Amino acid sequence: MLSIKNLKASVEEKEILKGLNLEVKPGEIHAIMGPNGSGKSTLASVLTGKENYEVTAGEVLFEGKDLLELSPEDRAREGIFLAFQYPVEIPGVSNINFLKTALNEIRAYRKQPPIEAKEFLRLLKEKQKLLEFDTTLANRSLNEGFSGGEKKRNEIFQLAMLEPKLAILDETDSGLDIDALRIVSRGVNKLRSSKNAFIIITHYQRLLDYIVPDYVHVLYNGQIVKSGTKELALELEEKGYDWLKEDAQETTLKPSFQ
Amino acid sequence: MDNTITQISNSLYSQCIADYELRSSSKDTAEPAELSALREKAFQQFKKTGFPSTKVEDWKYTNLTPFLKEEFITEQESDLVAVEESLVEKAMVPGLDSYRVVVVNGVYRPDLSDNIPHEGVYLFPLSAAIGRPAFKKHFGQYTDISRNHFAAVNTALFRDGLFLEIKNNTVLGKPLQVVHLTAADDHTFLQPRHLIVVGTSAAATIIESYVTVDNEASVFINHVSEIVVGENAQLQHYYIQTGNEKARYIHHTEVYQLASSVYNNYKASFPGTSLLRNNLNVALDGENVESHLYGLYLSGGHQLVDNHTIVDHRKPHCQSNELYKGVMKDEATGVFNGKIFVRKDAQKTNAFQQNNNLMLGKKAVIDSKPQLEIFADDVKCSHGSTVGQFNQEAMFYLKSRGIGDEKARALLIHAFAYDVTEKIPIPEVQAHINQLIEEGLKS
C-alpha cells in the first residue's frame, strides 16, 4: 500500500529525514516511536504534503502512485488521512458542513455522485455513536473552543467519516485522559480492517496497550534504527531511547526494516 | 478646509448650478417656504464647495475625479421607465414573505409595488408627502449639509424618493422589501431622497436592495436617506448593494434615534458597482438607545468601496456596537472610516467598533481608520482594526481532508464573513447574502 524508500526531507535547509524506509501493507498497524526531534511529525507532514517541507531524495509510492507528485487534497482523495497533533480551530466553518464538503470532494474525485442527505445523516449518527462524539460538538464550528481531548476525538470522528485507506495518527494519545484514550482506541479498533492500514506516531507505549500494532519502529535522527513487534514498545518504555542512541552512534545503520 | 481651489469643478458641477438657477427662476413649484429656504441654503453651500476633492479629510482616500468625468444628464424624464419583472424578482430575497416596494431611478412605482394593507403604514412618493406633518417635522433636520457635499447638492436639487411613515405603536408584521432599480440609456446623475419615520413603540424591518440594469451608460446615484427612530421604536434595516461597473453610488444615511429605541443596520455590498461610498451616521439622542451596525463588503475587480460611519453618543446609558468585515479581491480598494463620538453628557456609554479585512488580491488595498473621540469619563469603549490573509494552517487542514483549493477558500471566506452573517436575524436574508457571497467570489 505504502512504500517509502530512502526518503530524505528538509525544513528550511535543515535535513530532518535522512533516508527513511518503510513498507506498509493493507491490514497492518505500524507504530512509530522515537524521542523528540527524531522526525516523527516531519514524516507525517511530508506524507500529507505540507508546505515548507522539501523532499530532497527518495520516493514514496501509495498504491503504486507517486505520492509526492500529488497535491495535499489529492493525497486525501486517494485515501490518506492525517489525524493532526494540533488540530486547527476554524471558527465559522461548521463541523457538519466541513465533513459534507470533504466527503463530496472525495466522492467527486472518485467519480461518485454527492452523498444523499439521508445517507449522510445516517453515517453521521453511526460514527458519532462509535466515537461517543457529542451531537452538540458535531454541530459546532470546527474545533472552536474544543478541549484538547475533544479535538483529538474529532480527528478520529473525521477519520471514521472519511474512511481512508491509510490513516496516520500523529500523537493522537498525547493529552488524552484514560477515558478518551479508551474511546479513541476502541474507535480505531473498530475501523481497522484487512483493507486499511494505520501508522501510529506516539511517544508512549500506553496507547499500544489499546491499539495493538503489528510492527513497532524506532525513529531516531531521521532514520528508522530498529524495528520489531509490540514487545519493542515495552522494551522502549522500560529502557528509554538512550540504548538505541548509543547503538546508532556506534554503527552506521542499515535501514533495519525489510 | 474646503476652498474653491481644491474643489472638483466640472461640467456636472456647472450643470447642477444651472439646474438650480433654472428651477428657482421658474417658481412653478408649490413647495413650502421652509423647504425652499432649506434648498437655497444647501445650494449656496454646494455652490461654494462643489464636489469634494481628496484634500477634504473625509475624501482623502476616495478620489472622485475619474467617476465624475462623463457628461451626465441631471434632469429625469418624467415618463415611467419600463422595467423587466425578472430584474425586480432577482433582487428580492428568495422565499421571504414580505411587502414589495419598487423604486425606479429614484421614483416610487406603485404600479410595480404591493399594496400595503396595514394600518398605520404610510408609503408615498416623497414629492407627495411634503405637506405631511412628519415631513415638516423631520425633513432635512438631521443631516449636516455643511459637512456633506453630496447631501447638500441632493437637498438643493432632489426631485423625488420614498416617504415611509410607521405610526406610533404599529408593528409591521412582514418585512418591507424595497428594490431600488436604476436604468438609464444616457449617462445620468440621479439624486433620490428618502425619509423614513418610525413612530413611538413602532417596529419594522426594511430590506433595501440596489440593482442596476445592464446598460452602456454610466449612472451616478447620490442617495440621501433620513431615518427617525422614535421612542421605544425598533427598526431592523438592511442594505444589500449590488450593481454593475457602470454604477457609482454615494449613499448617505442619517439616522436619528430617540430614547429606548433600537436601530440595527445590516449592510452587505458585492463586486460590480465601480464606486460605492456609504456614509452611515447614527445619532443616539436619548437615554437607553441601542445601535448595531454590521457591515460586510466583498470587493473585487477595480471596485472602490468606502464605508464611513459616525456613531454619535449624545446621551447616557446607550450602547453601540459596530462590526465591519471586508474581503478584498483582485485590485479592489477599500476604505473604512469609523468615528465614535461620546459626548460629555453620554456617561455609562458602551461603544464598540471593529473592522477586519481579509486580503485575497495581491493588489488589493485597504485604508482602515477607526477614530474615537470621548468627552465623558465613565464609559466603556473599544475599537480595533485588522488586515490579514488566509490562515495557511487552516488551508492545509481543509486540504488534508480532500477539500480542493477553491472550496477551501470559499469555506474560509464564509467563515470570515460569518461573524457578520450570523447576526442577520432572518434566515432567508442570511441565505440570500451567502448566495451573493458565493457569486461574488466567482465573479
Side-chain angles (χ1 to χ4, degrees):
Chain A
M1 176 182 270
L2 182 74
S3 169
I4 304 175
K5 291 207 176 89
N6 190 34
L7 182 64
K8 293 184 182 175
S10 315
V11 182
E12 288 165 5
E13 302 194 358
K14 186 171 184 263
E15 189 168 66
I16 310 281
L17 298 182
K18 301 173 179 175
L20 188 141
N21 295 278
L22 184 67
E23 286 286 335
V24 179
K25 294 195 177 67
E28 292 178 349
I29 294 187
H30 291 246
I32 294 182
M33 304 182 75
N36 282 331
S38 58
K40 300 191 301 291
S41 286
T42 298
L43 175 63
S45 297
V46 169
L47 290 179
T48 47
K50 193 164 186 190
E51 274 176 42
N52 308 331
Y53 290 84
E54 198 197 343
V55 174
T56 52
E59 65 166 19
V60 181
L61 296 179
F62 182 66
E63 298 193 309
K65 281 184 191 146
D66 183 355
L67 192 69
L68 302 177
E69 286 290 301
L70 298 176
S71 66
E73 56 269 35
D74 280 350
R75 296 180 196 201
R77 293 160 180 173
E78 287 288 345
I80 288 185
F81 181 95
L82 171 65
F84 282 74
Q85 183 178 5
Y86 303 111
V88 184
E89 294 191 20
I90 311 185
V93 173
S94 86
N95 240 326
I96 304 277
N97 186 25
F98 158 70
L99 274 172
K100 201 170 180 184
T101 307
L103 207 58
N104 282 333
E105 290 266 285
I106 293 169
R107 289 173 70 96
Y109 184 78
R110 296 174 185 164
K111 310 238 178 322
Q112 294 168 324
I115 189 163
E116 304 240 342
K118 214 173 138 192
E119 171 60 14
F120 179 71
L121 275 180
R122 189 198 61 73
L123 197 65
L124 210 57
K125 269 193 189 152
E126 180 195 313
K127 306 298 183 183
Q128 256 170 246
K129 206 174 150 204
L130 177 69
L131 272 304
E132 296 179 30
F133 196 66
D134 205 311
T135 312
T136 55
L137 288 181
N139 286 325
R140 266 165 50 184
S141 275
L142 190 46
N143 292 327
E144 192 190 12
F146 284 26
S147 70
E150 285 167 343
K151 282 181 188 165
K152 296 294 177 77
R153 219 190 292 180
N154 194 14
E155 294 293 290
I156 306 303
F157 173 57
Q158 291 173 29
L159 191 163
M161 287 295 292
L162 301 178
E163 296 180 328
K165 293 173 193 158
L166 174 68
I168 304 159
L169 274 54
D170 190 3
E171 308 220 1
T172 298
D173 53 330
S174 58
L176 278 191
D177 64 45
I178 199 74
D179 288 333
L181 187 72
R182 236 178 243 138
I183 293 166
V184 163
S185 310
R186 199 176 58 222
V188 170
N189 285 328
K190 284 202 179 143
L191 294 169
R192 68 187 290 189
S193 76
S194 61
K195 291 195 182 72
N196 61 22
F198 289 82
I199 294 175
I200 295 172
I201 294 170
T202 180
H203 256 306
Y204 308 105
Q205 186 271 335
R206 187 182 67 160
L207 176 67
L208 306 180
D209 286 342
Y210 296 93
I211 306 172
V212 181
D214 300 297
Y215 300 97
V216 174
H217 310 279
V218 180
L219 187 62
Y220 175 67
N221 198 21
Q223 291 183 321
I224 286 173
V225 294
K226 196 169 180 63
S227 296
T229 54
K230 66 179 165 48
E231 283 71 30
L232 177 58
L234 289 167
E235 201 178 345
L236 288 169
E237 181 88 347
E238 205 173 300
K239 294 169 45 180
Y241 292 103
D242 288 347
W243 60 284
L244 285 167
K245 287 183 191 174
E246 283 156 23
D247 272 10
Q249 276 150 9
E250 275 166 26
T251 49
T252 313
L253 277 152
K254 268 200 324 192
S256 56
F257 185 66
Q258 294 175 354
Chain B
M1 137 182 115
D2 311 331
N3 58 60
T4 46
I5 299 160
T6 59
Q7 83 190 33
I8 298 174
S9 181
N10 60 5
S11 67
L12 182 59
Y13 170 80
S14 317
Q15 207 173 333
C16 289
I17 302 296
D19 281 354
Y20 185 81
E21 280 162 358
L22 184 70
R23 182 194 169 92
S24 38
S25 68
S26 69
K27 293 282 175 206
D28 63 353
T29 55
E31 284 183 358
E34 294 91 336
L35 181 55
S36 299
L38 183 65
R39 284 191 190 272
E40 177 63 22
K41 194 175 145 213
F43 171 70
Q44 291 305 335
Q45 179 69 28
F46 176 70
K47 196 176 174 186
K48 193 171 77 189
T49 60
F51 296 110
S53 77
T54 52
K55 300 266 171 63
V56 178
E57 184 61 28
D58 274 346
W59 294 87
K60 196 174 167 187
Y61 302 104
T62 299
N63 180 12
L64 290 167
T65 315
F67 300 107
L68 287 168
K69 62 175 194 284
E70 279 99 338
E71 299 267 335
F72 290 101
I73 296 172
T74 50
E75 290 289 323
Q76 266 306 108
E77 297 282 327
S78 47
D79 288 346
L80 290 187
V81 180
V83 170
E84 274 187 48
E85 174 62 22
S86 64
L87 271 171
V88 178
E89 264 315 305
K90 213 178 146 235
M92 301 281 290
V93 176
L96 181 66
D97 185 18
S98 60
Y99 297 115
R100 182 174 106 164
V101 176
V102 179
V103 177
V104 180
N105 291 351
V107 178
Y108 168 48
R109 292 284 293 269
D111 59 316
L112 301 169
S113 305
D114 287 343
N115 181 29
I116 302 175
H118 200 295
E119 205 179 321
V121 179
Y122 298 88
L123 184 66
F124 299 106
L126 189 73
S127 56
I130 288 171
R132 294 188 68 86
F135 182 96
K136 286 183 180 156
K137 188 169 175 198
H138 299 295
F139 185 82
Q141 294 305 301
Y142 311 108
T143 308
D144 182 357
I145 47 174
S146 69
R147 302 179 72 92
N148 294 285
H149 307 61
F150 281 94
V153 66
N154 179 293
T155 303
L157 287 166
F158 79 89
R159 298 165 66 87
D160 216 337
L162 208 58
F163 172 87
L164 173 66
E165 185 182 1
I166 296 166
K167 288 282 194 189
N168 296 353
N169 303 310
T170 302
V171 176
L172 199 55
K174 284 200 266 183
L176 204 68
Q177 276 205 75
V178 185
V179 176
H180 296 268
L181 197 124
T182 310
D185 295 324
D186 302 299
H187 301 322
T188 307
F189 182 64
L190 295 170
Q191 303 207 73
R193 179 77 177 222
H194 315 294
L195 176 64
I196 298 172
V197 180
V198 184
T200 302
S201 299
T205 295
I206 301 170
I207 303 165
E208 300 196 64
S209 302
Y210 299 82
V211 282
T212 47
V213 175
D214 283 319
N215 269 341
E216 286 305 303
S218 297
V219 190
F220 196 112
I221 306 136
N222 175 26
H223 269 283
V224 176
S225 297
E226 290 172 299
I227 296 163
V228 181
V229 189
E231 265 187 48
N232 201 37
Q234 301 213 359
L235 180 61
Q236 309 285 334
H237 192 197
Y238 297 76
Y239 282 140
I240 302 171
Q241 301 176 318
T242 65
N244 61 31
E245 282 166 20
K246 295 288 171 189
R248 296 122 197 221
Y249 276 96
I250 306 287
H251 200 138
H252 187 99
T253 306
E254 195 77 33
V255 182
Y256 182 77
Q257 285 186 262
L258 289 162
S260 302
S261 66
V262 176
Y263 175 76
N264 292 341
N265 184 287
Y266 310 87
K267 189 197 293 163
S269 69
F270 299 95
T273 318
S274 56
L275 168 70
L276 186 57
R277 163 66 180 251
N278 289 305
N279 293 338
L280 174 57
N281 300 343
V282 184
L284 293 77
D285 204 7
E287 294 197 13
N288 196 31
V289 168
E290 219 180 289
S291 322
H292 297 269
L293 312 182
Y294 299 111
L296 175 69
Y297 45 101
L298 170 59
S299 318
H302 289 89
Q303 202 178 22
L304 170 53
V305 177
D306 177 348
N307 279 294
H308 268 62
T309 65
I310 297 175
V311 175
D312 184 4
H313 282 269
R314 296 181 184 172
K315 297 279 160 67
H317 299 286
C318 294
Q319 277 202 50
S320 70
N321 184 21
E322 176 172 9
L323 174 63
Y324 268 65
K325 297 197 99 171
V327 178
M328 308 301 297
K329 298 202 316 169
D330 311 324
E331 297 182 25
T333 302
V335 180
F336 173 81
N337 188 305
K339 266 185 211 159
I340 298 176
F341 292 114
V342 181
R343 304 219 193 172
K344 210 170 156 218
D345 286 345
Q347 299 295 0
K348 307 283 179 191
T349 288
N350 282 338
F352 305 108
Q353 182 196 88
Q354 184 75 34
N355 172 233
N356 308 110
N357 297 282
L358 178 60
M359 308 304 282
L360 303 185
K362 281 206 171 69
K363 289 186 172 171
V365 176
I366 182 86
D367 293 295
S368 178
K369 191 175 168 193
Q371 287 172 282
L372 268 177
E373 286 185 36
I374 303 173
F375 302 99
D377 53 19
D378 184 13
V379 301
K380 268 190 219 156
C381 294
S382 73
H383 65 177
S385 169
T386 66
V387 178
Q389 271 134 15
F390 274 125
N391 177 343
Q392 289 306 319
E393 295 274 316
M395 276 298 272
F396 179 68
Y397 190 79
L398 296 174
K399 287 181 179 184
S400 80
R401 298 300 182 245
I403 299 172
D405 199 69
E406 195 187 319
K407 281 252 164 65
R409 282 167 182 271
L411 273 177
L412 291 181
I413 291 164
H414 279 285
F416 177 80
Y418 181 72
D419 292 335
V420 170
T421 54
E422 70 161 346
K423 302 295 192 309
I424 297 171
I426 305 173
E428 289 87 349
V429 178
Q430 214 179 83
H432 181 58
I433 301 276
N434 277 324
Q435 179 59 33
L436 289 170
I437 295 174
E438 204 102 353
E439 287 168 20
L441 288 177
K442 283 182 195 140
S443 71

